[in-house]
Amino acid sequence: MRNSLLATGINGLVGSKFKNDFSDSYQFDSLDISDPQNRVDITDINQVMAAFEASKARYVLHLAAYTDVTGAWNQRGDKNGLAYKVNVTGTQNIVSACREHNVHLIHISTAYVFDGTKETLYTENDTVHPIEWYGETKALAEEVVTNSAIDWTILRIDQPFRSDSFPRQDIAHRIISGLETATLYPQFTNHFFGPTFIDDFAKVIDWVIRTKTTGLFNASSGEKWSDFAFAQAVAKQIGSTTSIKPGNLDEYLKTLDRPYQKNTAMDTSKLQSKLDFSLRDIASALSEVTSN
Ligand SMILES: NC(=O)c1ccc[n+]([C@@H]2O[C@H](COP(=O)([O-])OP(=O)(O)OC[C@H]3O[C@@H](n4cnc5c(N)ncnc54)[C@H](OP(=O)(O)O)[C@@H]3O)[C@@H](O)[C@H]2O)c1
């Protein structure tokens, strides 16, 4: 029998993969702003409460977010802007509904809560210090969750990519397209991140529910890649011979008016010491990526 699972953002880049891979395990009670029959906007507390009221689920997977980092930067400081309303007010509403209905919250967060100045991997003990508005709203959302009295799990990810393609392209598929059309921008040799393989991350979400795990976890791959090395690995995987130009983040930043984290790679040993399965390394994950 499938368990009911409340979910926000389940049709996005990350959520739709989880929904696809775990449709045999869960019956999704979705809070979906694009559903013409039952539109639920998480910034509206009454709509959120009604959706929780109608569900028997004991868990909510909260993925919905305003994820356009540049769009968020253009709204910086604006608490009436969509980025703040979706990421902070939306999360406050989900937390209130969890409290009212005794539901465990699985909140998806980001490495952009960090400032990106650390050279080594960020751990769960590092202080959050966002440097742009998207990261700030996501850090405030984390605060709302951690200050609440509900059961919660926070999973932080970074630059997620999946094996199959999705209309909103992930980092691996953007590189594939760029290589195939010879339009790939120079790839920074001095910008670092911790790619997250969504196929495995979907299993992490299921593991949280199966094991009732609570707490804060970095849930990317635990690896640190430069943009240039990652693009080269993608090119190798698809057998592309298109040359990849090295880029310099410091030069690029001179042309940009918004701050940019130089390193968002995270240490995942806390998570990996508890999981009952292994996360694939990024080289193996890339071998599963298809271009269509
Ligand atoms: N993608 C990344 O690079 C990345 C990196 C780190 C962390 N994350 C985090 O991972 C989570 C999932 O990201 P994603 O990339 O899958 O996001 P996404 O593809 O942009 O999807 C976001 C989802 O949120 C929904 N949504 C937006 N506003 C809403 C509202 N007011 N009410 C209800 N639903 C609303 C959207 O619905 P519609 O599609 O119907 O508009 C969409 O399904 C987010 O919490 C994000 O912060 C993402």
Side-chain angles (χ1 to χ4, degrees):
M1 202 189 80
R2 294 187 302 166
N3 288 322
S4 295
L5 178 63
L6 280 155
T8 74
I10 200 69
N11 296 316
L13 171 68
V14 177
S16 58
K17 184 69 182 148
F18 177 73
K19 187 178 180 182
N20 180 64
D21 290 1
F22 284 93
S23 57
D24 287 345
S25 307
Y26 302 105
Q27 159 71 49
F28 292 93
D29 294 340
S30 302
L31 283 67
D32 182 0
I33 195 166
S34 298
D35 182 343
Q37 258 82 53
N38 186 22
R39 181 179 187 275
V40 181
D41 179 346
I42 62 161
T43 69
D44 182 324
I45 184 70
N46 295 325
Q47 293 181 21
V48 172
M49 284 294 183
F52 273 63
E53 187 71 48
S55 173
K56 292 192 183 69
R58 304 289 12 118
Y59 284 81
V60 58
L61 171 60
H62 177 35
L63 290 144
Y66 183 97
T67 55
D68 174 356
V69 180
T70 304
W73 177 245
N74 295 331
Q75 302 165 28
R76 58 192 179 279
D78 181 4
K79 293 191 172 177
N80 293 312
L82 206 50
Y84 186 94
K85 279 168 67 178
V86 176
N87 295 354
V88 185
T89 311
T91 301
Q92 277 165 343
N93 291 342
I94 298 292
V95 165
S96 298
C98 285
R99 198 173 45 231
E100 181 88 12
H101 294 277
N102 195 22
V103 169
H104 179 140
L105 169 59
I106 303 169
H107 176 74
I108 308 307
S109 192
T110 171
Y112 281 23
V113 296
F114 297 118
D115 59 19
T117 57
K118 193 177 177 185
E119 304 241 324
T120 52
L121 303 177
Y122 281 98
T123 74
E124 291 83 353
N125 294 326
D126 286 315
T127 310
V128 302
H129 183 229
I131 56 170
E132 42 66 43
W133 191 237
Y134 166 74
E136 194 163 339
T137 59
K138 293 291 288 187
L140 287 167
E142 282 194 0
E143 212 176 292
V144 167
V145 175
T146 55
N147 285 342
S148 74
I150 62 171
D151 289 334
W152 57 263
T153 313
I154 296 177
L155 303 173
R156 289 186 186 134
I157 57 174
D158 188 25
Q159 302 275 3
F161 69 97
R162 47 195 275 179
S163 53
D164 56 344
S165 64
F166 185 72
R168 185 182 151 225
Q169 282 187 325
D170 60 40
I171 183 160
H173 289 91
R174 274 203 307 274
I175 292 168
I176 292 172
S177 295
L179 290 168
E180 286 176 347
T181 54
T183 55
L184 191 66
Y185 288 109
Q187 297 291 304
F188 302 131
T189 53
N190 54 349
H191 173 256
F192 301 93
F193 67 103
T196 306
F197 188 38
I198 297 174
D199 303 43
D200 277 359
F201 182 62
K203 294 183 190 165
V204 172
I205 295 168
D206 173 60
W207 167 81
V208 168
I209 300 169
R210 282 192 287 108
T211 58
K212 303 181 168 52
T213 299
T214 54
L216 170 65
F217 295 93
N218 293 342
S220 56
S221 53
E223 298 181 25
K224 180 184 176 188
W225 287 71
S226 72
D227 297 17
F228 186 71
F230 188 77
Q232 281 184 314
V234 172
K236 186 173 165 213
Q237 181 51 41
I238 62 166
S240 170
T241 53
T242 306
S243 99
I244 301 171
K245 294 192 190 73
N248 184 339
L249 177 66
D250 297 326
E251 288 304 314
Y252 176 65
L253 285 180
K254 290 179 189 162
T255 69
L256 202 68
D257 83 325
R258 85 162 159 85
Y260 206 71
Q261 300 83 352
K262 287 192 176 173
N263 172 34
T264 48
M266 296 184 288
D267 179 303
T268 56
S269 44
K270 180 181 174 192
L271 176 70
Q272 301 217 40
S273 71
K274 291 180 185 276
L275 284 178
D276 53 14
F277 65 96
S278 300
L279 298 177
R280 275 162 283 195
D281 60 36
I282 290 301
S284 317
L286 285 176
S287 72
E288 302 199 12
V289 171
T290 56
S291 52
N292 45 37

